PDB file of all heavy atoms in Angstrom:
ATOM      1  N   LEU J   9      94.454 109.260  93.736  1.00 32.00           N
ATOM      2  CA  LEU J   9      93.973 109.575  92.403  1.00 32.00           C
ATOM      3  C   LEU J   9      94.456 108.594  91.356  1.00 32.00           C
ATOM      4  O   LEU J   9      95.508 107.977  91.488  1.00 32.00           O
ATOM      5  CB  LEU J   9      94.449 110.971  91.987  1.00 32.00           C
ATOM      6  CG  LEU J   9      94.093 112.048  92.998  1.00 32.00           C
ATOM      7  CD1 LEU J   9      94.600 113.362  92.497  1.00 32.00           C
ATOM      8  CD2 LEU J   9      92.620 112.099  93.196  1.00 32.00           C
ATOM      9  N   THR J  10      93.707 108.523  90.300  1.00 33.00           N
ATOM     10  CA  THR J  10      94.161 107.809  89.114  1.00 33.00           C
ATOM     11  C   THR J  10      94.167 108.783  87.949  1.00 33.00           C
ATOM     12  O   THR J  10      93.279 109.614  87.813  1.00 33.00           O
ATOM     13  CB  THR J  10      93.233 106.628  88.785  1.00 33.00           C
ATOM     14  OG1 THR J  10      93.614 106.109  87.521  1.00 33.00           O
ATOM     15  CG2 THR J  10      91.777 107.016  88.729  1.00 33.00           C
ATOM     16  N   GLY J  13      91.807 108.934  83.573  1.00 34.00           N
ATOM     17  CA  GLY J  13      90.884 109.814  82.881  1.00 34.00           C
ATOM     18  C   GLY J  13      91.586 110.801  81.988  1.00 34.00           C
ATOM     19  O   GLY J  13      91.023 111.276  81.006  1.00 34.00           O
ATOM     20  N   LEU J  14      92.844 111.121  82.290  1.00 31.00           N
ATOM     21  CA  LEU J  14      93.592 112.058  81.472  1.00 31.00           C
ATOM     22  C   LEU J  14      94.081 111.423  80.175  1.00 31.00           C
ATOM     23  O   LEU J  14      94.573 112.106  79.290  1.00 31.00           O
ATOM     24  CB  LEU J  14      94.806 112.577  82.268  1.00 31.00           C
ATOM     25  CG  LEU J  14      94.488 113.302  83.575  1.00 31.00           C
ATOM     26  CD1 LEU J  14      95.777 113.730  84.233  1.00 31.00           C
ATOM     27  CD2 LEU J  14      93.596 114.490  83.315  1.00 31.00           C
ATOM     28  N   LEU J 112      86.962 107.203  89.811  1.00 92.00           N
ATOM     29  CA  LEU J 112      86.191 108.072  88.939  1.00 92.00           C
ATOM     30  C   LEU J 112      86.947 108.246  87.627  1.00 92.00           C
ATOM     31  O   LEU J 112      88.146 108.536  87.628  1.00 92.00           O
ATOM     32  CB  LEU J 112      85.982 109.424  89.628  1.00 92.00           C
ATOM     33  CG  LEU J 112      84.876 110.340  89.130  1.00 92.00           C
ATOM     34  CD1 LEU J 112      83.522 109.662  89.221  1.00 92.00           C
ATOM     35  CD2 LEU J 112      84.873 111.622  89.973  1.00 92.00           C
ATOM     36  N   VAL J 114      86.455 110.575  85.425  1.00 88.00           N
ATOM     37  CA  VAL J 114      86.510 111.985  85.027  1.00 88.00           C
ATOM     38  C   VAL J 114      87.069 112.794  86.190  1.00 88.00           C
ATOM     39  O   VAL J 114      87.194 112.295  87.321  1.00 88.00           O
ATOM     40  CB  VAL J 114      85.104 112.512  84.646  1.00 88.00           C
ATOM     41  CG1 VAL J 114      84.583 111.806  83.406  1.00 88.00           C
ATOM     42  CG2 VAL J 114      84.127 112.341  85.802  1.00 88.00           C
ATOM     43  N   ALA J 115      87.425 114.033  85.919  1.00 82.00           N
ATOM     44  CA  ALA J 115      87.973 114.897  86.962  1.00 82.00           C
ATOM     45  C   ALA J 115      86.999 114.958  88.145  1.00 82.00           C
ATOM     46  O   ALA J 115      85.792 115.009  87.943  1.00 82.00           O
ATOM     47  CB  ALA J 115      88.219 116.303  86.411  1.00 82.00           C
ATOM     48  N   PRO J 116      87.511 114.908  89.400  1.00 80.00           N
ATOM     49  CA  PRO J 116      88.924 114.966  89.810  1.00 80.00           C
ATOM     50  C   PRO J 116      89.597 113.595  89.936  1.00 80.00           C
ATOM     51  O   PRO J 116      90.595 113.473  90.635  1.00 80.00           O
ATOM     52  CB  PRO J 116      88.846 115.652  91.170  1.00 80.00           C
ATOM     53  CG  PRO J 116      87.555 115.168  91.754  1.00 80.00           C
ATOM     54  CD  PRO J 116      86.607 115.041  90.586  1.00 80.00           C
ATOM     55  N   TYR J 117      89.048 112.563  89.299  1.00 82.00           N
ATOM     56  CA  TYR J 117      89.698 111.246  89.212  1.00 82.00           C
ATOM     57  C   TYR J 117      89.939 110.603  90.569  1.00 82.00           C
ATOM     58  O   TYR J 117      90.950 109.933  90.789  1.00 82.00           O
ATOM     59  CB  TYR J 117      91.019 111.344  88.431  1.00 82.00           C
ATOM     60  CG  TYR J 117      90.872 112.068  87.117  1.00 82.00           C
ATOM     61  CD1 TYR J 117      91.457 113.311  86.929  1.00 82.00           C
ATOM     62  CD2 TYR J 117      90.122 111.517  86.084  1.00 82.00           C
ATOM     63  CE1 TYR J 117      91.306 113.992  85.738  1.00 82.00           C
ATOM     64  CE2 TYR J 117      89.956 112.199  84.888  1.00 82.00           C
ATOM     65  CZ  TYR J 117      90.552 113.439  84.720  1.00 82.00           C
ATOM     66  OH  TYR J 117      90.381 114.105  83.537  1.00 82.00           O
ATOM     67  N   ASP J 118      89.028 110.799  91.497  1.00 84.00           N
ATOM     68  CA  ASP J 118      89.181 110.202  92.828  1.00 84.00           C
ATOM     69  C   ASP J 118      89.200 108.683  92.734  1.00 84.00           C
ATOM     70  O   ASP J 118      88.506 108.079  91.921  1.00 84.00           O
ATOM     71  CB  ASP J 118      88.032 110.626  93.754  1.00 84.00           C
ATOM     72  CG  ASP J 118      88.147 112.070  94.201  1.00 84.00           C
ATOM     73  OD1 ASP J 118      89.209 112.664  94.002  1.00 84.00           O
ATOM     74  OD2 ASP J 118      87.156 112.594  94.738  1.00 84.00           O
ATOM     75  N   THR J 119      89.998 108.084  93.591  1.00 85.00           N
ATOM     76  CA  THR J 119      90.021 106.637  93.724  1.00 85.00           C
ATOM     77  C   THR J 119      89.201 106.237  94.940  1.00 85.00           C
ATOM     78  O   THR J 119      89.428 106.748  96.033  1.00 85.00           O
ATOM     79  CB  THR J 119      91.471 106.128  93.874  1.00 85.00           C
ATOM     80  OG1 THR J 119      92.165 106.397  92.661  1.00 85.00           O
ATOM     81  CG2 THR J 119      91.497 104.642  94.147  1.00 85.00           C
TER      82      THR J 119
END
Side-chain angles (χ1 to χ4, degrees):
L9 306 180
T10 172
L14 301 179
L112 198 59
V114 295
Y117 310 112
D118 287 347
T119 295

